[in-house]
Amino acid sequence: MRVAVDLMGGDRAPGAPIEGISIALARDPGIKIVAVGQPAALAAARTGLGVGPGSRMGYVEASEVIDNDEQPALAVRRKRDSSMVVGLQQVKAGHADAFVSCGPTGALLTAGLFAFGRLPGVRRPALGSVFPNMSHEGKTWFMLDIGANVDATPEDLRTYAVLGSIYSRMILGVPDPAVALLNIGTEAQKGNDATRQASELLSATPGIRFAGNVEARDILTGPVDVVICDAFVGNILLKGMEGLLIQLTDAIRRQLRAGGIAAKVGGMLAKPALLRALKIMDYTEYGGAPLFGVNGPCIKCHGSSNGTAVAGGIRVAAGFAGKGVLAAMSEALATGKPGGGPGSR
């Protein structure tokens, strides 16, 4: 499986992408990488990752970078030699099977649509991500949209449920995922017109196990496997959870430092358990977020991703491309019946 990686995207580029590539190569002997970036970044990658016979690395030069403050469509059109556009072209030309970037979400979505178009039946793509289940270690749940379409219609939300169900089955290994609509209450009549109409559509969609509405306070404990919402709600929830984790970690550290000898000793004894708990909540452990509805495998990693997160994104990209997820999604949208299962092709 060949994964093209954008060396120039994100707050920690090119160091984090290079580190992530190194981790991914060590973890999976079946992975090959096409690194895409400016000459200096490629030189650093060659030094750290190797070249020559037996190397699983390929290198493609791109002279430009799309920045966060640029208007996405304009930047993609003007910067055709950007690392993002060139990386996607590697996939389109068949030189790679999937693409991973920590660059701007809007630009990646725009460039992905230019390169591959939409899946038939998708009006507006969505961004999805895996989250930890805080009640069952090792179990996860999945949410979309977390950042692509802030004005989702009820039909968009139904489409997201179909795509999320397939991803949960084929990538996360959940045989019969329960799907819920994120809302302000669990009662069917709660919410705005869009969520009420979406609830009716989801209830009537074959192949989806619709569990009704779910409240934000309950999703971390995993009563459902797939959570559906528009990007306005999903992105606020995502960033709220990220901020809470950062502040909670800092608060624990401050209290341990300020509590005297007894607190420090207690902290040392509790440290292994605390580290395990923080690891469960750490987004870097769960990889990147696929762009659902783009007719090509595009994986978006967080802009502040470290090497571990980029490696996770590469893992997600390889699984997404290798298990035929896009083909299953196309079939489901065409027939109206989500299919696929753990390990399906």
Side-chain angles (χ1 to χ4, degrees), residues 114-150:
F114 281 170
F116 306 121
R118 291 178 178 83
L119 279 173
V122 174
R123 189 181 74 94
R124 289 187 177 178
L127 194 63
S129 189
V130 175
F131 297 87
N133 184 314
M134 302 308 298
S135 296
H136 301 87
E137 187 171 352
K139 186 178 178 182
T140 58
W141 56 279
F142 188 75
M143 182 169 72
L144 73 164
D145 184 7
I146 61 168
N149 180 16
V150 297

Side-chain angles (χ1 to χ4, degrees), residues 243-269:
L244 178 61
L245 175 59
I246 292 169
Q247 294 303 319
L248 179 61
T249 303
D250 289 345
I252 292 172
R253 287 171 177 161
R254 286 196 303 270
Q255 291 302 316
L256 290 175
R257 286 196 297 264
I261 297 298
K264 288 183 172 62
V265 172
M268 290 178 64
L269 294 174

